[in-house]
Amino acid sequence: VVDRALNSVRSISRATTLAPSTPSQNKDRVPLVLTFHPTSLRMQSIILRHFRQLQRDATTKHIFPSLPLSAFRRDRSLRDNLVHSSTIPSTSPITHGTFPCNRRRCNTC
């Protein structure tokens, strides 16, 4: 198996290997973006298994002209929840320096 693969690689010229390739643009594939979770893989397999039914239905065959392209986004981690603060910047001007607090019970001022 390895010798067969090496022979097929050696048969390709260096010029064709180094030539820039253009990626194929398949415009009619609808992206199916799911947040990654172990059950998301089951969702993808269910859609692939029942794709023929989507093609037969009159309302969904225009939405899914070909097999949907599955993509997974990263789920929010504990770090994302802890690091990013959701504080709202104050619109009042910041007074620099020392000044009395003007509280009745304050013995320091």
Side-chain angles (χ1 to χ4, degrees), residues 7-65:
N7 288 335
S8 66
V9 168
R10 287 182 185 137
S11 66
I12 302 171
S13 69
R14 183 177 176 89
T16 58
T17 306
L18 295 175
S21 63
T22 57
S24 63
Q25 298 284 332
N26 195 352
K27 301 283 184 184
D28 55 335
R29 290 187 73 180
V30 176
L32 173 67
V33 182
L34 302 169
T35 303
F36 183 77
H37 190 268
T39 57
S40 299
L41 299 173
R42 280 186 53 206
M43 178 70 124
Q44 180 184 8
S45 68
I46 290 169
I47 290 174
L48 293 177
R49 195 173 344 136
H50 299 292
F51 183 69
R52 287 185 184 165
Q53 290 179 354
L54 292 173
Q55 286 289 325
R56 288 184 201 137
D57 189 21
T59 58
T60 59
K61 73 178 179 183
H62 301 292
I63 299 170
F64 297 107

